[in-house]
């Protein structure tokens, strides 16, 4: 029995807790992702000869993500298992589950937030910072981000940073993994009606074998116009500083793209230019633009011949002229076709014959992809690509006996259930 002096105490306490819980917003969501991908590789990434057997396999990504949101913070934990069917014995015990994301966004005010943890860094069109969602493992970073947003001004600003270490050292901060040691960036986006401008300034630091940490600087702007029928975009970026193997970097990249839509068809044309090493320079590699932590599968052909720029062109840069078309077959199906013509941005010698200057053309690629939406959480994608190589590409890849034609086909099932 409640004390007679406080007859309502027992009733007030649960009532106050109930009212307080109603005032505090919270929401928990649990989502999954099941993504098997079957590939037929007969020239994917590198030209292969006619007597070389193609590869055929199935890989799989399985993710489980938990996100909890309140008035004061949002927290996300995403675990994943990435495997190739058959890479573990039936009774084997090979651990391969890892954390893809684990972060918390703390709401400081209506406009400011702080977001530490393991997270994807995705900005703009992912030309320099992207999650590489095509790859089964994806990309994430251990970083701290300070965010600012003002919807009334259509303004967004992010400032992020990271400092990587191999372990919890007792002393020193040596870092020898093939990764950046230090990362910092500032991203700003402003919208005016149909026009938008965004700017990115990024610094990444690397520790050389000598123990010295050097820094590379990449900065530039993106312009976008999204009209009813026309969509226009352009990018211009410069790169300076030093990295693990280069000093006094002086490189740049640019892109122009235009799209026109007449339902159900959209036509897109564009050109990307990544600067390459000037053969007249005493250190030509310093003029090669590095695409940093981008989603290059999205830009330079689905067969990923130029996934790793600058290594895939041996420092000669890249010029990509493309024409794309998408057709909406129905509310549940679509078809996308893209043609790319690739060329070197600068002259380079044949790695197999240093006295020979290679031709500029690196070949052409045709990509086709069709998508079927079975339901709100089930999607089927099928794709096929053909790459027509040139002698320059085959010599550049040191595959002189490779076929003229290269092929790659794939089929992906994507199931994304909302458990809670």
């Amino acid at each position: 029995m409640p004390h007679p002096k406080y007859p309502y105490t027992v009733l007030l306490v649960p009532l106050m807790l109930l009212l307080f819980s109603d005032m505090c917003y919270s929401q928990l969501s649990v989502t999954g992702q099941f993504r098997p991908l079957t590939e037929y590789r007969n020239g994917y990434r590198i030209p292969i000869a006619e007597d070389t057997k193609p590869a055929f396999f199935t890989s799989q990504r399985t993710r489980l993500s938990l996100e909890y949101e309140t008035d004061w913070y949002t927290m996300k934990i995403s675990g994943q298992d990435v495997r190739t069917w058959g890479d573990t014995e039936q009774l084997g015990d090979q651990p391969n589950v890892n954390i893809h994301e684990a972060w918390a966004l703390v709401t400081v005010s209506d406009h400011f937030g702080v977001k530490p943890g393991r997270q994807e860094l995705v900005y703009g069109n992912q030309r320099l910072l992207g999650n590489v969602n095509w790859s089964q493992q994806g990309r994430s970073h251990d970083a701290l981000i300070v965010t600012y947003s003002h919807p009334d001004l259509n303004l967004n600003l992010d400032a992020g940073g990271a400092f990587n270490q191999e372990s919890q050292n007792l002393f020193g901060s040596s870092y020898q993994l093939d990764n950046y040691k230090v990362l910092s960036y500032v991203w700003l986006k402003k919208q005016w009606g149909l026009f938008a401008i965004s700017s990115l300034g990024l610094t990444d630091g690397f520790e050389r074998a000598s123990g010295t940490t050097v820094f590379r600087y990449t900065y530039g702007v993106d312009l976008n116009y999204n009209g009813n029928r026309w969509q226009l975009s352009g990018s211009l970026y410069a790169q300076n500083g030093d990295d693990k193997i280069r000093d006094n970097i002086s490189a740049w990249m640019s892109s122009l793209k235009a799209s026109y839509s007449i339902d159900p068809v959209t036509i897109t044309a564009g050109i990307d230019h990544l600067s390459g090493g000037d053969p007249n320079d005493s250190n030509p590699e310093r003029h090669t633009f590095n695409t940093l932590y981008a989603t290059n599968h999205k830009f330079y052909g689905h067969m990923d011949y130029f996934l790793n720029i600058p290594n895939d062109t041996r420092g000669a840069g890249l010029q990509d002229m493309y024409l794309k078309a998408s057709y909406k077959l129905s509310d549940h199906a679509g078809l996308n076709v893209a043609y790319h013509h690739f060329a070197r941005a600068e002259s380079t010698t044949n790695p197999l014959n240093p006295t020979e200057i290679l031709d500029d053309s690196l070949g052409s690629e045709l990509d086709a992809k069709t998508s079927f939406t079975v339901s709100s959480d089930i999607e089927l994608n099928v794709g096929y690509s053909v790459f027509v190589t040139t002698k320059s590409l085959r010599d550049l890849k040191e595959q002189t006996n490779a076929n003229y034609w290269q092929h790659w086909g794939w089929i992906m099932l994507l199931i994304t259930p909302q458990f809670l």
Side-chain angles (χ1 to χ4, degrees), residues 185-220:
Y185 69 90
V186 176
W187 173 80
L188 173 68
K189 181 180 179 181
K190 171 67 176 175
Q191 185 92 27
W192 292 277
L194 301 178
F195 293 90
I197 180 172
S198 63
S199 179
L200 176 69
L202 184 148
T203 301
D204 46 352
F206 306 89
E207 184 171 331
R208 290 178 172 174
S210 62
T212 303
T213 301
V214 295
F215 296 90
R216 178 176 59 193
Y217 311 98
T218 306
Y219 46 91

Side-chain angles (χ1 to χ4, degrees), residues 123-402:
Y123 289 95
N125 54 15
Q126 304 188 44
R127 191 173 287 278
L128 296 177
L129 283 174
N131 59 4
V132 199
N133 189 54
W134 167 257
S135 67
Q136 295 286 43
Q137 69 275 13
R139 174 186 282 137
S140 53
H141 306 251
D142 299 311
L144 170 68
I145 304 175
V146 177
T147 68
Y148 173 82
S149 63
H150 200 305
D152 294 338
L153 298 177
N154 291 318
L155 181 67
N156 295 90
L157 173 67
D158 281 9
F163 185 83
N164 288 333
Q165 289 291 278
E166 298 175 45
S167 62
Q168 301 175 32
N169 300 332
L170 294 177
F171 53 85
S173 61
S174 177
Y175 187 73
Q176 298 299 323
L177 295 184
D178 187 19
N179 193 14
Y180 59 77
K181 179 178 181 178
V182 181
L183 177 73
S184 62
Y185 69 90
V186 176
W187 173 80
L188 173 68
K189 181 180 179 181
K190 171 67 176 175
Q191 185 92 27
W192 292 277
L194 301 178
F195 293 90
I197 180 172
S198 63
S199 179
L200 176 69
L202 184 148
T203 301
D204 46 352
F206 306 89
E207 184 171 331
R208 290 178 172 174
S210 62
T212 303
T213 301
V214 295
F215 296 90
R216 178 176 59 193
Y217 311 98
T218 306
Y219 46 91
V221 296
D222 295 288
L223 301 174
N224 292 275
Y225 168 79
N226 290 306
N228 188 28
R229 294 192 181 276
W230 283 97
Q231 296 86 43
L232 308 173
S233 64
S235 302
L236 182 63
Y237 283 86
Q239 202 165 73
N240 305 112
D242 310 315
D243 59 22
K244 271 194 172 183
I245 61 173
R246 301 181 297 169
D247 293 321
N248 301 317
I249 297 171
S250 179
W252 61 280
M253 69 150 290
S254 64
S255 70
L256 289 172
K257 183 176 75 171
S259 298
Y260 185 75
S261 301
I262 303 178
D263 193 52
V265 179
T266 299
I267 304 295
T268 302
I271 181 171
D272 295 335
H273 184 98
L274 308 176
S275 68
D278 185 347
N280 296 319
D281 194 289
S282 58
N283 183 15
E285 289 185 346
R286 74 186 189 95
H287 292 293
T288 304
F289 188 87
N290 189 297
T291 55
L292 302 182
Y293 315 104
T295 303
N296 284 334
H297 178 83
K298 178 180 176 181
F299 298 102
Y300 312 118
H302 288 174
M303 290 184 73
D304 292 339
Y305 269 60
F306 310 104
L307 188 66
N308 185 358
I309 302 295
N311 292 344
D312 282 338
T313 60
R314 295 182 180 266
L318 181 68
Q319 181 173 282
D320 173 21
M321 294 184 291
Y322 57 87
L323 181 65
K324 302 179 180 181
S326 62
Y327 182 75
K328 184 178 178 181
L329 299 171
S330 69
D331 291 338
H332 305 285
L335 175 65
N336 296 273
V337 179
Y339 169 80
H340 296 262
H341 181 265
F342 301 105
R344 293 180 294 107
E346 294 288 346
S347 300
T348 189
T349 58
N350 188 339
L352 304 175
N353 180 11
T355 62
E356 178 188 356
I357 300 295
L358 293 176
D359 293 335
D360 288 340
S361 178
L362 296 176
S364 299
E365 180 176 336
L366 183 64
D367 301 319
K369 171 190 171 184
T370 184
S371 301
F372 304 93
T373 301
V374 181
S375 67
S376 60
D377 53 4
I378 301 178
E379 182 178 313
L380 181 66
N381 296 282
V382 181
Y384 196 82
S385 299
V386 177
F387 199 111
V388 183
T389 67
T390 63
K391 179 181 181 301
S392 291
L393 179 71
R394 297 192 294 272
D395 289 344
L396 203 64
K397 299 285 188 178
E398 298 187 17
Q399 300 290 324
T400 56
N401 295 324

